[in-house]
Amino acid sequence: MTVKPPSKLAQPSRSTARTTEPQGFTAEERAAMKARTQELKAEARLGRNRAEGERAVLAALALMPEPDRTLGEQFHALVGAAAPELLPRTWYGMPAYAREGQVVCFFQSASKFKTRYTTIGFSDAANLDEGTLWPTTFALTTWTPEGEAKIDALVRRAVSEGLPSQSKRD
């Protein structure tokens, strides 16, 4: 018995297959990775310098469109007041605040990755552990006195002494 090879019409051509494959990183993601590479080079050159970090954060904020710029400036001022021990720096081109080289909290503009919300986030270096489940990223649409109070409390808690023990997480 003779077996016929599959019809060429039944198989997608290579050029068709390529157009349906994932395209990899978006332009925004590539730009963020490039920014992170530049940040690492600057850190190696300058060390952990508060003045340089402050300049980098203010420059990143200046490039943001409204309302992200204003929200970022308000977050920057709040972190400076609530947790002056955190060093300002940029992280993937966005304002971030670090302790002993580890980012504790960060600001991400909605325009950066074309997302719906501006976000404020906390890394695993933040002392926010509560039971077995807790939020680490918060959407921010408008700066209000109530929101400011919540953010202030989160930042202060994030830098409070001592991280929760592993046994509390189990």
Side-chain angles (χ1 to χ4, degrees):
M1 171 176 216
T2 310
V3 177
K4 289 185 177 181
S7 164
K8 285 188 178 185
L9 295 175
Q11 296 178 351
S13 70
R14 288 184 185 249
S15 62
T16 303
R18 283 188 193 137
T19 60
T20 60
E21 291 177 8
Q23 298 298 312
F25 296 109
T26 65
E28 293 81 12
E29 290 167 331
R30 284 191 300 276
M33 289 185 286
K34 184 177 179 181
R36 184 66 185 131
T37 301
Q38 292 170 342
E39 292 161 1
L40 291 170
K41 287 178 183 177
E43 279 181 35
R45 191 176 66 250
L46 301 169
R48 295 185 181 117
N49 181 306
R50 178 174 291 281
E52 288 300 320
E54 183 79 17
R55 276 193 280 282
V57 165
L58 293 175
L61 289 168
L63 294 174
M64 291 179 195
E66 288 298 342
D68 292 339
R69 180 183 315 129
T70 298
L71 293 171
E73 289 168 347
Q74 290 167 312
F75 181 68
H76 178 67
L78 183 144
V79 172
E85 67 271 27
L86 295 180
L87 291 177
R89 60 184 275 192
T90 56
W91 193 43
Y92 296 96
M94 294 283 99
Y97 306 86
R99 174 178 47 208
E100 297 174 13
Q102 286 191 300
V103 169
V104 173
C105 59
F106 59 90
F107 177 87
Q108 184 176 319
S109 72
S111 62
K112 177 76 173 185
F113 295 107
K114 300 177 184 171
T115 58
R116 183 175 173 191
Y117 302 117
T118 295
T119 56
I120 292 170
F122 296 86
S123 75
D124 59 345
N127 187 18
L128 296 180
D129 302 44
E130 186 175 296
T132 60
L133 178 70
W134 58 91
T136 58
T137 306
F138 300 84
L140 179 64
T141 58
T142 309
W143 197 268
T144 64
E146 297 82 17
E148 182 175 355
K150 287 179 183 178
I151 295 166
D152 184 75
L154 284 166
V155 170
R156 289 177 190 279
R157 183 172 168 200
V159 296
S160 64
E161 288 300 314
L163 292 173
S165 68
Q166 184 63 34
S167 62
K168 283 177 78 175
R169 292 183 185 174
D170 294 337

